[in-house]
């Protein structure tokens, strides 16, 4: 899924509030295929887990969606696809990724959503999409960067949809 092509494309959006962030997560859900790796980048409180919650709700998940800060990974199985939500915030060393055996989760039948991937630098698989969330007052600024051919396909789907932040 990950091509060595370094050409990148970016989509930038303004998300007025938490509802808009969750709504974008729902839009993202429709663009992701099994085997896709998404890195979620942003400071604490930027909305990474809110985005994942919106994504999972759009897929029909009705149970709780927790931040995996303490568990390292939360697992959701929806329509025979594994959705893994990782959080490496508490890692002190990248090797903790290997020690925890997390590499086995990155498979062709799964979508992996990774918070704090830089904490496992060099060991976590490369991203197809990098989503950067920044706090902008009460709102969020969001950039989606395609980092592979699969990522460009996702970005094309996202760019082609009619979704627009109602807060703009």
């Amino acid at each position: 899924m990950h091509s060595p092509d370094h050409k990148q494309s970016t989509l930038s959006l303004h998300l007025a509030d938490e509802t808009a962030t969750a709504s974008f997560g729902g839009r993202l859900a429709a663009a992701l295929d099994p085997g896709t790796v998404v890195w979620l980048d942003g400071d604490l409180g930027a909305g990474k887990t809110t985005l994942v919650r919106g994504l999972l709700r759009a897929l029909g998940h009705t149970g709780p969606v927790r931040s995996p800060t303490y568990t390292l990974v939360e697992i959701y199985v929806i329509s025979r696809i594994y959705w893994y939500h990782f959080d490496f915030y508490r890692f002190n060393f990248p090797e903790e990724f290997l020690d925890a055996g997390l590499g086995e989760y990155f498979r062709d039948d799964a979508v992996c959503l990774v918070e704090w991937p830089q904490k496992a630098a060099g060991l976590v698989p490369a991203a197809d999409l990098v989503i950067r969330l920044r706090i902008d007052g009460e709102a969020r600024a969001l950039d989606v960067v395609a980092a592979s051919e699969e990522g460009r396909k996702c970005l094309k789907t996202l760019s082609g949809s009619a979704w627009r932040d109602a807060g703009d």
Side-chain angles (χ1 to χ4, degrees):
M1 286 272 169
H2 312 284
S3 80
D5 182 1
H6 297 291
K7 191 167 66 171
Q8 295 184 346
S9 302
T10 303
L11 170 68
S12 296
L13 297 170
H14 175 265
L15 304 173
D17 53 24
E18 186 174 329
T19 300
T21 302
S23 180
F24 178 79
R27 180 178 166 207
L28 178 63
L32 299 176
D33 290 323
T36 305
V37 176
V38 179
W39 287 4
L40 301 166
D41 183 33
D43 291 333
L44 290 172
K48 298 179 297 292
T49 298
T50 297
L51 188 146
V52 171
R53 186 174 296 113
L55 182 152
L56 293 169
R57 293 279 182 258
L59 294 169
H61 178 73
T62 58
V65 177
R66 297 177 188 92
S67 172
T69 301
Y70 294 99
T71 59
L72 298 181
V73 63
E74 290 289 334
I75 302 168
Y76 307 90
V77 181
I78 303 168
S79 299
R80 289 187 259 179
I81 298 173
Y82 291 86
W83 297 82
Y84 297 118
H85 180 198
F86 297 92
D87 187 331
F88 303 146
Y89 179 73
R90 299 212 173 272
F91 279 8
N92 292 311
F93 304 100
E95 294 75 22
E96 291 177 70
F97 177 86
L98 297 175
D99 294 343
L102 298 176
E104 69 188 49
Y105 290 96
F106 291 81
R107 311 182 319 227
D108 289 339
D109 65 342
V111 175
C112 294
L113 308 160
V114 184
E115 295 188 34
W116 302 95
Q118 67 275 21
K119 296 279 203 154
L123 299 173
V124 66
D128 293 299
L129 281 180
V130 177
I131 298 177
R132 295 183 180 112
L133 284 155
R134 292 179 314 285
I135 298 170
D136 184 13
E138 295 297 314
R140 300 294 182 262
L142 177 136
D143 294 316
V144 183
V145 179
S148 73
E149 191 55 45
E150 179 63 23
R152 281 185 281 287
K153 183 177 129 194
C154 294
L155 194 61
K156 184 177 179 183
T157 300
L158 287 168
S159 298
S161 71
W163 182 85
R164 186 171 150 70
D165 176 15
D168 276 350

